[in-house]
Amino acid sequence: MMKLSNMVKGLASDAVAKSLIQNWEHDEGTLMFWRASSNFVYAFENKQEKYFMRFSYDQESSIEQITAELEFMEYLKSNHYPCVSPILSVNGKYIETVQNSERTYFAVVFNSARGATLDENITKVQCEDWGSSLASLHQLSRLYEPVSTKRFNWQDILRKVDAVLQAYPDEKEAIEEIVILTERLQSFPISNCNYGLIHYDFQLDNIFYEEENRLFSVIDFDDAVYSWYAHDIITALDDFLDGDMNLDNHQVKSFLKGYSSVIPLSDEDINQFPYFQRFMKLYRFSKLLWSLEGSDVTDAPKWLDDVKLKFARVRDELRRGFQEQD
């Protein structure tokens, strides 16, 4: 999630995207805006094949962390795990940089994922395949050793949350939640079997289903972080758990059945689930606070008011959750 003020600037013109795309082979006139969330994504074609260019500000990502992300993806791909691949630029680089008078941008291009997106009507079998797909990723993560920079870990995230909340001393319940979660998670055992580099956004908008092979092809590893594998499970299932950790939801049950068919889940893993849900909510709350900072933009586009209202509503719901928890 980026600052809304940055999103407004980035969407005011395609100039940055048009500058960056020159670093990759492409069919002229095919570049089009796709979406903006934690970064900007544009679709384009090269020899009539579809590709996606993702770019972000240096304020919101670093070249070292992007390098670590791509390295993990290449490792998964080399072990036949179905995920998209980064594409080399005409300069022989996976990451290209462009600077303007205000800031530096980092761009990466990926091929398209095979398969179709699924929604909340996902079937029992598809849920099982979703769970087994995440478990297969975790199996490979157990053996992964980065060559260069490591991705951040869960403690780095809580430090980022703390840094945001320093500017909001009245958010006492959220600040207390950092202390509780840090202490609790530090007591969780860590081993190669339960902890490693996780995707951390293995939700339905980031996976594409190939019905004939019963395989999911995975995109968007830019949130990858070192944490417990159980943390990845809870983040993936967020839309189906509701606010009260509803493990009886039939889609949740099917997902966990599929996961357990590859990696058995212990009682200890399941007992940790509520803390990872709390972590997820706290992190989301801090990202919303940060994103809304400085969002009173002059001559703002019409869409900004709608997004601000939506963000503020979710922020307030999360705040109430901390207060009720307390």
Side-chain angles (χ1 to χ4, degrees):
M1 192 180 295
M2 72 176 76
K3 281 194 180 249
L4 287 176
S5 56
N6 286 342
M7 192 179 289
V8 170
K9 289 176 188 172
L11 295 178
S13 154
D14 292 330
V16 174
K18 286 176 178 174
S19 174
L20 285 164
I21 196 61
Q22 301 309 317
N23 292 296
W24 280 271
E25 291 182 4
H26 62 285
D27 300 337
E28 284 297 328
T30 61
L31 183 70
M32 58 178 284
F33 172 72
W34 193 257
R35 71 179 186 190
S37 52
S38 54
N39 40 52
F40 297 100
V41 180
Y42 280 71
F44 69 94
E45 291 182 7
N46 181 35
K47 300 180 178 65
Q48 298 183 321
E49 291 282 328
K50 194 170 190 178
Y51 294 87
F52 292 91
M53 179 176 70
R54 186 191 83 200
F55 64 91
S56 52
Y57 300 121
D58 56 353
Q59 178 191 3
E60 291 168 339
S61 62
S62 74
I63 205 159
E64 292 81 13
Q65 285 295 294
I66 299 169
T67 301
E69 171 202 349
L70 301 186
E71 191 180 292
F72 183 50
M73 293 176 72
E74 286 295 279
Y75 163 77
L76 293 174
K77 197 80 179 166
S78 69
N79 283 279
H80 312 293
Y81 186 80
C83 64
V84 295
S85 297
I87 305 298
L88 281 170
S89 71
V90 294
N91 306 311
K93 297 178 183 177
Y94 284 117
I95 306 168
E96 287 286 355
T97 305
V98 70
Q99 287 177 291
N100 63 18
S101 58
E102 291 186 333
R103 47 175 64 90
T104 302
Y105 301 85
F106 302 124
V108 188
V109 165
F110 300 98
N111 66 333
S112 294
R114 294 176 57 173
T117 53
L118 302 175
D119 58 24
E120 65 275 4
N121 299 313
I122 183 170
T123 68
K124 179 181 175 183
V125 168
Q126 290 167 342
C127 279
E128 288 183 21
D129 293 341
W130 180 21
S132 64
S133 177
L134 183 59
S136 297
L137 189 156
H138 292 166
Q139 273 190 324
L140 288 169
S141 180
R142 287 174 171 184
L143 305 170
Y144 178 61
E145 287 292 339
V147 176
S148 53
T149 313
K150 285 183 77 167
R151 291 286 296 180
F152 291 137
N153 64 32
W154 65 272
Q155 289 173 300
D156 294 315
I157 289 178
L158 286 184
R159 278 191 280 270
K160 280 167 69 175
V161 173
D162 187 49
V164 170
L165 289 175
Q166 296 283 336
Y168 299 91
D170 290 342
E171 301 288 356
K172 293 182 173 59
E173 291 84 2
I175 293 165
E176 178 63 20
E177 185 74 341
I178 297 176
V179 177
I180 293 166
L181 287 175
T182 302
E183 190 177 309
R184 195 74 187 93
L185 268 61
Q186 281 174 339
S187 75
F188 289 177
I190 289 177
S191 73
N192 281 345
C193 293
N194 71 0
Y195 183 99
L197 189 53
I198 64 174
H199 183 279
Y200 201 40
D201 197 8
F202 206 81
Q203 296 184 353
L204 293 180
D205 55 347
N206 286 329
I207 55 178
F208 296 78
Y209 193 59
E210 295 181 64
E211 194 82 47
E212 65 278 14
N213 304 320
R214 290 184 59 184
L215 282 177
F216 280 100
S217 186
V218 185
I219 67 168
D220 277 7
F221 284 76
D222 58 322
D223 287 312
V225 65
Y226 281 91
S227 190
W228 289 265
Y229 297 127
H231 197 168
D232 221 6
I233 293 170
I234 292 308
T235 310
L237 289 170
D238 180 41
D239 290 336
F240 298 94
L241 288 167
D242 302 323
D244 57 352
M245 189 54 61
N246 181 15
L247 298 182
D248 289 327
N249 175 298
H250 69 94
Q251 288 153 318
V252 172
K253 280 184 166 180
S254 296
F255 179 101
L256 295 177
K257 180 182 176 185
Y259 188 96
S260 301
S261 71
V262 179
I263 299 176
L265 281 168
S266 67
D267 288 343
E268 184 175 64
D269 295 325
I270 292 164
N271 290 338
Q272 291 171 355
F273 283 175
Y275 292 98
F276 294 132
Q277 189 179 43
R278 287 169 65 172
F279 185 109
M280 188 172 56
K281 288 178 178 179
L282 178 65
Y283 189 25
R284 182 177 296 147
F285 179 72
S286 75
K287 286 197 288 187
L288 288 165
L289 286 177
W290 187 77
S291 184
L292 284 162
E293 285 176 358
S295 60
D296 293 328
V297 181
T298 51
D299 300 323
K302 280 182 72 175
W303 59 262
L304 182 63
D305 282 341
D306 292 338
V307 174
K308 283 169 64 175
L309 278 171
K310 179 185 170 187
F311 280 15
R313 188 172 65 248
V314 177
R315 176 203 62 198
D316 294 346
E317 283 173 14
L318 289 166
R319 181 186 289 123
R320 280 193 296 273
F322 300 136
Q323 292 165 349
E324 286 162 11
Q325 209 164 256
D326 193 54

